Amino acid sequence: MSNSIGERIRLTIFGESHGSVIGGILDGIPAGVELPLEYIQEKLNLRKAKGSISTSRQEEDVPTFLSGIHQGYTEGNAIAFILKNKNVQSKDYELHKPRPSHADYAAYEKYFGYMNLAGGAIFSGRLTAAFVVGGAICQKLLEDKGVYIGSHIKRLYRFQDRSFENYEKDIQKLSRLNFPVLDSSISKTMQEYLLKIKEEKDSIGGILETAVVGLPVGLGDPIFDSLESNLSKILFSIPAIKGVSFGLGFDFAQYKGSEVNDVLFYEKGKVKTKTNHNGGINGGLSNGMPLVFHTVVKPTSSIGLVQETIDLQTQTNTTVEIQGRHDPAIIHRVRPVVDAVTAFVLLDAYLKREQECLWQNSV
């Protein structure tokens, strides 16, 4: 089992959905970085269930830091933290009946029936709260360097938001929104439809569009450690993410090269491209343009309708009606998780690039 990721910095995640705590260890963060705990809490609050369009499971999600931060500054050693699970209801789960589109059956076989899968265990979206804590620390360090990250719901079921227009202003606007949609009129329509889906005991999915501004040229490595490779790996570690694309992504198939090549030009001594169809990455390296990518979030697997499944005890076909508290869509709560893991990968690449620059300047 792989619970850790990263090269220059390293993030390790632990815990289970219905265990006593979840938490993480973030190693490799330099000493002396100012880190207001309110900033981390703001990011966690964006992930929390809110109002009638979310699950009724409410967790406090106030992190307890065990090491690595003292009087608002990083100490240079491992930053260890925990988040307590208080609002659990394990009785809602019939563990011998795998839930459709969950990891229940595959995990049962993988771990020979020993893992307690109540609430999804390590496969649950609950663990993404720990992603947000670790990633928020990275996000703060990047913002100190002028790098900003923002995501919005580009599509929810059949409803579409506008794309990024002014990246800096749109990212700033999104940082203040609990329901991250740039067009306020379609935001209201989306939320009203979510209430309808909740009444139907069903769920819907969507697409998040993420943009990053302020990145220097040359982050990443060719081939196996490209920015696309490392971002995709960590994005696919978020439960419910089933697709990732960069720039135009699959839409490249509709065009000629002459239509989508990003032409270079100088503007006030700086190199830019006239378009950004490649989403700010060429050859696995950042090219100085805004980094833009999309992630597909599938409909929440836990729905209240009666569904077909199997009974592992009797080895027969049966049905299951999932009890408990579930989101009609999780895309708005996935947004801060995507921002957080993006920050982790980019800071890792940033620190590695700084190391390369120091070496080059010393030669």
Side-chain angles (χ1 to χ4, degrees), residues 57-75:
R57 178 179 178 179
Q58 297 290 331
E59 293 289 356
E60 200 173 69
D61 277 354
V62 176
T64 299
F65 287 92
L66 308 177
S67 67
I69 299 176
H70 180 64
Q71 295 183 345
Y73 289 84
T74 58
E75 297 182 280

Side-chain angles (χ1 to χ4, degrees), residues 176-244:
R176 300 189 297 267
L177 298 177
N178 285 319
F179 194 79
V181 178
L182 294 169
D183 183 337
S184 57
S185 63
I186 198 69
S187 174
K188 181 180 179 182
T189 302
M190 287 179 178
Q191 293 182 70
E192 288 174 347
Y193 192 74
L194 279 176
L195 292 176
K196 180 177 180 293
I197 289 296
K198 187 174 183 178
E199 288 177 4
E200 295 174 358
K201 298 184 178 181
D202 215 332
S203 64
I204 53 176
I207 298 173
L208 285 169
E209 182 179 48
T210 301
V212 185
V213 294
L215 285 178
V217 180
L219 296 189
D221 286 291
I223 311 180
F224 298 122
D225 279 328
S226 70
L227 273 188
E228 293 110 324
S229 301
N230 289 335
L231 281 167
S232 296
K233 180 176 182 178
I234 201 165
L235 287 165
F236 279 122
S237 300
I238 303 171
I241 297 293
K242 300 301 284 187
V244 177

Side-chain angles (χ1 to χ4, degrees), residues 292-356:
V292 181
F293 62 87
H294 299 83
T295 47
V296 178
V297 183
K298 73 175 185 177
T300 318
S301 298
S302 294
I303 59 176
L305 300 172
V306 177
Q307 300 175 87
E308 295 179 17
T309 188
I310 58 174
D311 190 315
L312 294 169
Q313 292 178 345
T314 62
Q315 296 188 350
T316 58
N317 296 322
T318 185
T319 59
V320 63
E321 185 175 0
I322 301 174
Q323 304 298 316
R325 306 150 299 173
H326 312 294
D327 296 87
I330 58 172
I331 191 167
H332 54 295
R333 300 182 63 200
V334 170
R335 176 270 299 249
V337 185
V338 167
D339 290 352
V341 300
T342 299
F344 175 82
V345 169
L346 295 180
L347 182 63
D348 199 18
Y350 206 116
L351 293 175
K352 185 177 181 182
R353 181 62 176 157
E354 282 188 340
Q355 229 174 16
E356 293 168 345

Side-chain angles (χ1 to χ4, degrees), residues 27-334:
D27 208 359
I29 299 296
V33 177
E34 186 176 10
L35 194 64
L37 299 185
E38 314 88 71
Y39 179 90
I40 299 172
Q41 193 61 58
E42 284 175 11
K43 301 302 181 185
L44 272 172
N45 290 344
L46 292 176
R47 185 198 160 278
K48 281 186 178 181
K50 289 187 179 70
S52 51
I53 62 170
S54 299
T55 175
S56 59
R57 178 179 178 179
Q58 297 290 331
E59 293 289 356
E60 200 173 69
D61 277 354
V62 176
T64 299
F65 287 92
L66 308 177
S67 67
I69 299 176
H70 180 64
Q71 295 183 345
Y73 289 84
T74 58
E75 297 182 280
N77 62 328
I79 300 173
F81 59 89
I82 58 171
L83 295 154
K84 294 181 180 179
N85 290 329
K86 296 181 178 180
N87 194 356
V88 299
Q89 293 182 9
S90 299
K91 62 179 177 58
D92 288 335
Y93 299 90
E94 297 179 271
L95 301 181
H96 59 288
K97 293 184 178 182
R99 298 165 297 167
S101 284
H102 282 272
D104 298 352
Y105 171 66
Y108 176 84
E109 293 291 339
K110 166 76 173 175
Y111 299 110
F112 309 102
Y114 284 100
M115 181 175 287
N116 179 5
L117 291 170
I122 60 170
F123 302 96
S124 170
R126 173 69 189 136
L127 271 72
T128 62
F131 290 16
V132 173
V133 176
I137 294 170
C138 301
Q139 206 168 339
K140 179 62 172 62
L141 268 68
L142 287 173
E143 289 183 2
D144 290 345
K145 294 178 178 291
V147 178
Y148 292 88
I149 303 168
S151 300
H152 72 111
I153 302 173
K154 181 69 188 311
R155 181 169 183 167
L156 179 69
Y157 190 49
R158 296 171 184 168
F159 308 102
Q160 191 122 341
D161 190 21
R162 69 168 173 85
S163 294
F164 283 100
E165 294 172 357
N166 183 310
Y167 287 104
E168 288 82 1
K169 287 185 178 179
D170 284 344
I171 289 172
Q172 186 179 28
K173 176 180 179 179
L174 289 168
S175 68
R176 300 189 297 267
L177 298 177
N178 285 319
F179 194 79
V181 178
L182 294 169
D183 183 337
S184 57
S185 63
I186 198 69
S187 174
K188 181 180 179 182
T189 302
M190 287 179 178
Q191 293 182 70
E192 288 174 347
Y193 192 74
L194 279 176
L195 292 176
K196 180 177 180 293
I197 289 296
K198 187 174 183 178
E199 288 177 4
E200 295 174 358
K201 298 184 178 181
D202 215 332
S203 64
I204 53 176
I207 298 173
L208 285 169
E209 182 179 48
T210 301
V212 185
V213 294
L215 285 178
V217 180
L219 296 189
D221 286 291
I223 311 180
F224 298 122
D225 279 328
S226 70
L227 273 188
E228 293 110 324
S229 301
N230 289 335
L231 281 167
S232 296
K233 180 176 182 178
I234 201 165
L235 287 165
F236 279 122
S237 300
I238 303 171
I241 297 293
K242 300 301 284 187
V244 177
S245 68
F246 294 85
L248 283 182
F250 286 94
D251 286 341
F252 273 117
Q254 305 176 43
Y255 297 97
K256 298 175 184 178
S258 57
E259 296 174 307
V260 293
N261 281 349
D262 296 319
V263 177
L264 296 160
F265 72 103
Y266 277 106
E267 183 178 87
K268 297 180 180 179
K270 290 186 177 182
V271 176
K272 294 187 176 181
T273 60
K274 291 188 176 181
T275 54
N276 191 27
H277 298 311
N278 287 279
I281 301 176
N282 294 125
L285 311 177
S286 60
N287 64 17
M289 292 293 287
L291 170 62
V292 181
F293 62 87
H294 299 83
T295 47
V296 178
V297 183
K298 73 175 185 177
T300 318
S301 298
S302 294
I303 59 176
L305 300 172
V306 177
Q307 300 175 87
E308 295 179 17
T309 188
I310 58 174
D311 190 315
L312 294 169
Q313 292 178 345
T314 62
Q315 296 188 350
T316 58
N317 296 322
T318 185
T319 59
V320 63
E321 185 175 0
I322 301 174
Q323 304 298 316
R325 306 150 299 173
H326 312 294
D327 296 87
I330 58 172
I331 191 167
H332 54 295
R333 300 182 63 200
V334 170

